[in-house]
Amino acid sequence: MVEPPSSAPPLDTAVGPVDAQGAPPRPAFDRRHAWLIAAMIVSFMLINYADKSVLGLAAVPIMDELGISNSTYGMISSSFSLLFSLSGLIVGFASARLSSRVLLFAMAALWAVAQLPVLVVASVPALVAGRVLLGAAEGPAASMSMHALYKWFPADRRGLPSALQISGAALGTLVAAPVVTWLITSFGWRSAFVVLAVASALWSLVWWRVGHDGPHGGEAAPGGHRAVGAPASAPPPTPGGGGPRTAGTPGAETARASERLPYRRLLLNGTVLGSIVAAFGASWALALSHAWLPAYLRTELGMTPGGGATVISAISAFSLVLLLSIPVLVDLLRRRGRSSRWSTAVPQGVAVAVAALAMAALPFVDGRGAHLALLALAFGGHAIVFPLHYMTVSAVVPAVQRGAVFGVVAAAGTLPGLVSPYLTGHLLDFAASRSAGYTQAYLLSAAVMLVCAVAALIAIRPEQDARRLRLG
């Protein structure tokens, strides 16, 4: 049964001078610059995911050239996440004081630098150093780019931009798989690192010119407008003398959005915890695909580098279709008054559960067609979690604290990247056979993801938690 829409207004609302009715004016929507920012964010995420996937795409030639084991390669891949979550957490809190323009510029510039160690000397320490630096610079990328995007779009227009931001990840893999594979096979695996370094440097220069902060970020606005977190006087009485506005009216929205909430209350409510768990389950599959899917396609399914790249691109295309369709439907449902629980929360749990079941079935199917269909569901079906879990978190967090909470959510939700690649490599080295190792890795992944799916379905209740945080 669909829950009735909450009477509590969204916390994510800018606060400024009120009109005669006690309602704050809505910031103007600069459509042209908002979509320019969206395009820059999409390209930012495209480069981000190309950077992440390059090691996996080059895994076989790197392992052959350096003579490293599966466990060592898994350790190199996991080193990417050593500082990933910590940097996401730190930068998330720093985002309250630093502009998104500065943060994203610094990240992209560091991505370029991170590709250099392996070009100087090809060795395990150089690979680890580059991946650790890259992980530290990319840890805040998804949350901070989403935060930057939300500064340009009001709450009821974020479904499609959020989907496009995450679609940059699918596009990154969709484009990176064939292009990076072509570079590796034609010019050697080092050439892919060079091209990505140049792309990151060029993006940072363009962003510095156009990447200014928008009016929906909760910061102080020009002309004396206050933002969320600034002192606000009580709303004036209604024209009929009925006193201050009640919950669900603009006046009450102004009064409640004007105060910060303790981070403990924000981080320990069910919606935020459930969103973290959903992201954890999806990130487990994502980390596994980045590190091991290209090698699996070549060694277990006997595909050529080009054939494997085509399959990876097809999985990314499937993810892209989901990303561009589901969040648009979410926006439509929200405008029609559907509850956030059914429009944004339930799809997260269902997506992770379906991916988990497909992962569990992978080792036991015969036939190339069925195998590829399950690969698409296992490694692409969870994609919608990433835009939706930011939307559910945003529903219970004031805009002025959104960047910090996004950082915490990203830091906790992406922890699988530190575990999944190395654990899979360890299983491959110590199992009776490579196939048995992959079977164990897929079944373990499915179990983790299924637990996350059930927990997310139970915990994420945006309307209920929003009411509790405002009225508690």
Side-chain angles (χ1 to χ4, degrees), residues 13-19 22-27 214-236 250-251 253-259 399-400:
T13 307
V15 180
V18 296
D19 59 20
R26 185 173 185 171
H216 299 280
E219 298 85 359
H225 290 220
R226 287 189 307 274
V228 176
S233 58
E253 179 177 290
T254 300
R256 286 177 182 157
S258 65
E259 296 181 1
V400 72

Side-chain angles (χ1 to χ4, degrees), residues 89-401:
L89 182 63
I90 293 172
V91 174
F93 281 97
S95 67
R97 298 181 178 274
L98 297 175
S99 72
S100 297
R101 181 192 187 199
V102 171
L103 291 175
L104 268 60
F105 169 81
M107 287 180 217
L110 285 174
W111 298 353
V113 175
Q115 309 296 352
L116 300 180
V118 74
L119 302 177
V120 176
V121 54
S123 64
V124 171
L127 284 167
V128 170
R131 298 306 285 184
V132 169
L133 177 58
L134 184 64
E138 290 196 352
S143 57
M144 291 303 97
S145 61
M146 189 72 81
H147 182 47
L149 190 65
Y150 279 12
K151 292 180 180 181
W152 284 96
F153 289 88
D156 61 352
R157 294 176 180 265
R158 290 176 180 163
L160 180 57
S162 297
L164 290 173
Q165 187 260 15
I166 300 298
S167 74
L171 284 172
T173 307
L174 182 67
V175 173
V179 172
V180 172
T181 299
W182 172 75
L183 287 170
I184 292 169
T185 55
S186 300
F187 305 102
W189 58 267
R190 293 169 181 79
S191 63
F193 287 79
V194 173
V195 170
L196 291 173
V198 172
S200 298
L202 290 176
W203 187 93
S204 65
L205 295 176
V206 176
W207 175 257
W208 186 254
R209 181 174 179 82
V210 304
H212 303 286
D213 287 358
H216 299 280
E219 298 85 359
H225 290 220
R226 287 189 307 274
V228 176
S233 58
T238 58
R245 293 173 179 251
T246 58
T249 64
E253 179 177 290
T254 300
R256 286 177 182 157
S258 65
E259 296 181 1
R260 289 175 178 264
L261 296 174
Y263 280 107
R264 179 180 59 82
R265 293 185 64 200
L266 293 176
L267 296 174
L268 295 181
N269 77 78
T271 294
V272 171
L273 292 175
S275 299
I276 289 172
V277 169
F280 189 96
S283 294
W284 189 284
L286 187 64
L288 187 63
S289 67
H290 281 157
W292 288 105
L293 182 57
Y296 175 79
L297 295 174
R298 292 187 61 178
T299 60
E300 293 302 298
L301 300 188
M303 294 186 177
T304 64
T310 300
V311 170
I312 293 171
S313 292
I315 294 173
S316 298
F318 173 64
S319 298
L320 186 61
V321 171
L322 293 178
L323 287 168
L324 295 180
S325 56
I326 299 299
V328 175
L329 177 61
V330 166
D331 267 355
L332 179 62
L333 291 174
R334 291 186 66 183
R335 289 172 186 160
R336 292 184 175 180
R338 299 295 182 182
S339 75
S340 293
R341 171 163 172 75
W342 289 100
S343 63
T344 60
V346 170
Q348 294 179 59
V350 170
V352 176
V354 170
L357 295 175
M359 188 86 71
L362 267 175
F364 306 108
V365 297
D366 295 322
R368 181 62 61 89
H371 210 119
L372 294 179
L374 289 174
L375 283 172
L377 287 174
F379 293 113
H382 59 77
I384 63 169
V385 170
F386 296 109
L388 295 184
H389 90 290
Y390 283 119
M391 294 175 71
T392 49
V393 169
S394 182
V396 296
V397 175
V400 72
Q401 295 172 282

Side-chain angles (χ1 to χ4, degrees), residues 33-61:
H33 200 83
W35 286 108
L36 172 61
I37 294 296
M40 288 296 298
I41 295 298
V42 169
S43 60
F44 177 82
M45 293 300 294
L46 190 154
I47 297 171
N48 173 281
Y49 273 77
D51 284 340
K52 288 180 180 177
S53 63
V54 66
L55 183 67
L57 293 169
V60 173

